[in-house]
Amino acid sequence: MIRNLRKWAIVCAICMLGGAILPMTDSVVAAAAVQHHKDEVAVWKQWVKKNAVPMQIEPENVESIKKKDVFQDLQFLKPLLKDKRIVSLGEASHGASEYNSAKVRFIQFLHEEMGFDVIAFETPLGDATAAYARIGKDKSEETMNKAVYGVWQVKENLALFEYIAKQSKTDRPLILTGFDVQATTESFMAFGKEWFDTVDPKQGRRFEQAEKNFIEVHSYDDMKKFRNVQKDLIQEYKTLQTFIVKNEKKLNSLMPQHKDMVPIMKRVLQNRIDVLDNYVEHMVQIWADKDAKHLPKASYLRDKMMADNVAWLAEEMYPDKKMILWGHNYHIRNNNSTMITEHNGLGFTNDPYPTMGEMLPVELQRQHYAIGLYAYQGSSLKNNNETEAVQLPHPAGSLEDILKASGHPASFVDLENQSLKQGTSWMYTPRVAKAWGVLDEVMIVRDQYDGLVFIDTIHPSKR
């Protein structure tokens, strides 16, 4: 490599001297640049081949998890995560079977061997917590369907919810929760109504109607109509907050195994008020104007509230526990505002904004390890149940092109602990990588993630 760098320096010097040694035509310069790039990429790939750690991705079942050394392939994570309190697991696309399986296995290992006792999904805080409050009463598939968004209600993730159910019967449960603030589901609405009904049926009905209205306003296409109901709906949630404070002891007695349900319900009601105060009006503007230009502001506000929820869970709800976060790469990465070219749902922007991982409190950022998941080829299942293939070919020197050199079906690369040298300079310089397998994003990879999971081939999840 040093020899090649010297050659490149000579070529550049010749250019500056006006071609004193040989005529430097555009084609000669271009050819030299191409060769230099090829040599550089080759060195990067050699480093990846040597340093990427192969890993299994199939989750363990209740029986196999008892076997000795079942997580032998993941032991390399212990020194990387020993001082971390929050580990985030991303994904370039929703609906990829191998992404889900790899994350489930990571969670099992982190809980079994590294003391991570909370799993929080990018899913509504109330829904996930209410589903967990019924753990053992519902079947694992029901828990999954009540707790998380439809994109993660898939067969590959059932092993996780079976594991959560099993651990709930031990002295070290894996606590299930969420950190999102978006509109809720009928299952959470029914849970809250039933719970409040036991103390005061009037408040049960109030909660049910407020939740119905909360869901409905997200689809309004008339700002005046939204303003007419906004103030009253906020007041309804404030009334429910007062009800909880006055009846906290009784409500707690109805959830003897889940004392965290009352403070979390308080938090959910405050989330509702905050969402109605700012986020929803941008959604209404989108529908009213039939123009997605308002989406970036709405997305920013959502990520800010999600970051606040993660901070609240870590600092107030579970201050003595280590947490795992599950979400899209976009939300969990460390410095989204420094993305060079970013896909924002509308197209591309050179003015990106911070997302959840970047908006965590500074102390939690120090204790955070963000893992991005990418794939070389294959396809995933979109929200509309159609499949979408990863677009090929990948450009030479792209993230996917470099990581494929590992030669493994699935592998892990640590970024956080790598110093700058010839083999690692790809981490420190702009790289293109595919979001959703089809949208090119440009980033300095090490600024965004602390580690990477790379899957050679992905397949659509099974709903």
Side-chain angles (χ1 to χ4, degrees):
M1 180 63 187
I2 291 173
R3 184 181 301 157
N4 289 326
L5 287 175
R6 286 174 180 161
K7 286 181 180 178
W8 179 242
I10 291 170
V11 169
C12 292
I14 292 169
C15 293
M16 288 187 287
L17 290 171
I21 298 177
L22 58 92
M24 292 303 294
T25 64
D26 288 346
S27 61
V28 171
V29 173
V34 168
Q35 185 58 50
H36 169 67
H37 182 60
K38 285 182 178 179
D39 294 342
E40 193 173 35
V41 172
V43 172
W44 295 339
K45 290 182 177 182
Q46 288 171 10
W47 186 93
V48 168
K49 187 174 182 179
K50 180 179 178 180
N51 291 277
V53 183
M55 49 177 277
Q56 301 174 39
I57 60 172
E58 282 303 312
E60 303 299 327
N61 58 40
V62 173
E63 294 305 317
S64 67
I65 215 162
K66 298 176 184 176
K67 296 177 182 177
K68 185 179 179 182
D69 297 334
V70 69
F71 292 115
Q72 193 61 37
D73 61 305
L74 297 180
Q75 296 302 308
F76 69 89
L77 289 170
K78 287 185 174 178
L80 302 180
L81 305 179
K82 62 183 175 66
D83 298 322
K84 302 300 182 182
R85 189 161 168 236
I86 299 177
V87 173
S88 289
L89 303 174
E91 54 192 36
S93 306
H94 297 325
S97 176
E98 288 75 12
Y99 289 162
N100 288 317
S101 294
K103 289 163 79 167
V104 171
R105 194 160 192 275
F106 262 48
I107 293 165
Q108 291 173 332
F109 167 75
L110 292 172
H111 180 68
E112 288 284 330
E113 300 198 15
M114 294 202 67
F116 285 80
D117 290 338
V118 178
I119 169 64
F121 273 81
E122 180 199 327
T123 203
L125 170 64
D127 296 54
T129 309
Y132 184 66
R134 289 189 52 81
I135 203 79
K137 298 177 183 176
D138 292 338
K139 293 180 179 179
S140 296
E141 187 172 346
E142 290 178 276
T143 301
M144 177 175 69
N145 292 343
K146 290 178 179 179
V148 298
Y149 290 136
V151 293
W152 295 309
Q153 295 173 15
V154 294
K155 290 183 179 179
E156 304 88 64
N157 290 341
L158 190 55
L160 173 60
F161 291 89
E162 290 171 345
Y163 178 78
I164 292 171
K166 172 182 173 289
Q167 292 302 128
S168 70
K169 300 173 184 176
T170 71
D171 59 359
R172 249 200 73 217
L174 177 58
I175 299 167
L176 170 66
T177 188
F179 53 82
D180 205 352
V181 297
Q182 294 190 113
T184 190
T185 60
E186 291 186 5
S187 62
F188 176 67
M189 192 188 308
F191 172 88
K193 181 181 185 301
E194 181 181 347
W195 188 25
F196 292 171
D197 271 351
T198 311
V199 178
D200 183 345
K202 180 181 177 181
Q203 300 307 319
R205 292 191 297 273
R206 184 187 301 275
F207 176 79
E208 180 182 44
Q209 189 57 54
E211 290 291 273
K212 287 180 179 178
N213 293 340
F214 181 75
I215 294 170
E216 185 179 352
V217 297
H218 281 73
S219 61
Y220 279 10
D221 61 2
D222 185 323
M223 186 58 70
K224 183 177 179 181
K225 181 180 178 182
F226 170 65
R227 295 295 186 209
N228 286 339
V229 303
Q230 180 188 26
K231 184 177 178 181
D232 288 343
L233 188 50
I234 288 174
Q235 185 55 52
E236 288 294 277
Y237 282 118
K238 288 182 176 179
T239 301
L240 287 164
Q241 286 179 317
T242 302
F243 160 71
I244 291 179
V245 171
K246 288 182 177 178
N247 296 276
E248 187 164 344
K249 187 174 180 179
K250 181 65 181 294
L251 289 166
N252 258 325
S253 70
L254 297 169
M255 295 279 176
Q257 304 301 317
H258 297 279
K259 296 295 185 183
D260 50 2
M261 196 67 235
V262 168
I264 284 179
M265 182 59 87
K266 288 181 181 178
R267 182 74 184 183
V268 170
L269 296 181
Q270 187 58 50
N271 281 172
R272 298 290 190 260
I273 293 168
D274 294 341
V275 167
L276 289 164
D277 258 344
N278 51 48
Y279 173 80
V280 176
E281 66 181 70
H282 298 285
M283 299 303 295
V284 174
Q285 285 281 16
I286 291 170
W287 308 131
D289 298 347
K290 294 181 174 54
D291 189 340
K293 68 182 180 182
H294 305 283
L295 185 57
K297 185 63 180 290
S299 296
Y300 166 79
L301 291 169
R302 176 190 170 209
D303 271 86
K304 178 65 172 68
M305 288 185 283
M306 290 198 297
D308 291 345
N309 274 349
V310 170
W312 179 81
L313 288 166
E315 297 171 347
E316 298 187 39
M317 197 69 244
Y318 306 114
D320 58 342
K321 297 187 183 300
K322 295 194 287 186
M323 299 172 54
I324 307 161
L325 308 182
W326 177 309
H328 193 277
N329 285 344
Y330 173 77
H331 298 296
I332 64 98
R333 55 195 179 205
N334 291 319
N335 293 290
N336 191 69
S337 65
T338 69
M339 293 287 287
I340 299 166
T341 306
E342 175 213 35
H343 171 70
N344 66 2
L346 314 176
F348 293 96
T349 175
N350 287 314
D351 186 24
Y353 45 83
T355 52
M356 184 196 72
E358 186 174 354
M359 290 189 279
L360 293 174
V362 172
E363 186 55 34
L364 289 182
Q365 288 184 34
R366 292 194 188 104
Q367 302 172 69
H368 180 219
Y369 193 97
I371 301 175
L373 275 72
Y374 288 89
Y376 187 83
Q377 61 192 344
S379 58
S380 58
L381 188 67
K382 297 197 296 183
N383 294 0
N384 61 5
N385 283 328
E386 294 179 0
T387 59
E388 186 164 54
V390 177
Q391 285 189 356
L392 297 172
H394 297 286
S398 67
L399 183 65
E400 293 87 351
D401 175 58
I402 296 166
L403 293 178
K404 185 173 175 58
S406 71
H408 305 296
S411 59
F412 184 93
V413 174
D414 171 63
L415 306 174
E416 184 184 46
N417 301 288
Q418 308 303 327
S419 59
L420 175 60
K421 52 189 176 183
Q422 288 179 330
T424 62
S425 59
W426 60 273
M427 305 177 187
Y428 290 83
T429 49
R431 281 310 106 222
V432 65
K434 282 188 164 52
W436 304 98
V438 296
L439 300 162
D440 287 343
E441 291 184 310
V442 181
M443 71 188 85
I444 295 175
V445 184
R446 196 172 178 274
D447 287 350
Q448 302 305 331
Y449 308 109
D450 303 298
L452 294 169
V453 168
F454 185 70
I455 311 289
D456 184 88
T457 307
I458 56 173
H459 298 84
S461 291
K462 301 175 181 66
R463 288 276 164 85

